Amino acid sequence: QVQFVESGGGLVQPGGSLTLSCATSGIIFDIYAMAWYRQAPGKERELVASISPGGTTDYADSVKGRFTISRDNAKDRVSLQMNSLKSEDTAVYYCNKKYALASWGQGTQVTVSS
């Protein structure tokens, strides 16, 4: 059974930083492109950042230059370093495969507010 467990969210002031982590199980992690998604209240879930099995990254324009996705194939984990956070980054953040989505985890809440 595929499972994603996200952690690391919280309340942070504008301009602050957070690092999110996602533990995965039930998949052969190192053959899949992985991604972070987010869903803000009243909005559709959107793809924020992705990383290929070999480490090639891609980002939504809204987070380019501020967020960094990384993966640890030995530990089956994917992380998201978020810097220079803005109020519009407030959302529940989820990890999943980039393609052929599996069941969603519970996500981790990120709130950017003064």
Side-chain angles (χ1 to χ4, degrees):
Q1 181 180 354
V2 179
Q3 190 172 19
F4 304 114
V5 179
E6 301 90 350
S7 62
L11 173 64
V12 62
Q13 293 187 340
S17 298
L18 281 175
T19 300
L20 307 183
S21 183
C22 174
T24 74
S25 60
I27 62 171
I28 305 172
F29 180 80
D30 55 3
I31 68 172
Y32 289 110
M34 296 297 297
W36 282 95
Y37 301 79
R38 68 185 180 188
Q39 187 167 22
K43 294 189 177 181
E44 299 276 320
R45 187 151 25 201
E46 63 173 344
L47 190 150
V48 173
S50 65
I51 186 166
S52 73
T56 301
T57 58
D58 194 20
Y59 299 92
D61 287 343
S62 58
V63 306
K64 204 169 289 184
R66 300 188 297 121
F67 289 12
T68 302
I69 187 171
S70 60
R71 65 190 295 157
D72 185 336
N73 288 341
K75 296 183 178 179
D76 295 352
R77 283 184 172 267
V78 58
S79 298
L80 186 69
Q81 172 70 42
M82 306 186 296
N83 299 325
S84 303
L85 283 161
K86 305 175 181 180
S87 58
E88 51 263 44
D89 296 319
T90 295
V92 180
Y93 284 71
Y94 304 85
C95 71
N96 207 315
K97 297 188 292 178
K98 184 177 181 181
Y99 307 106
L101 297 172
S103 298
W104 296 97
Q106 292 191 329
T108 186
Q109 175 71 48
V110 172
T111 302
V112 184
S113 175
S114 55

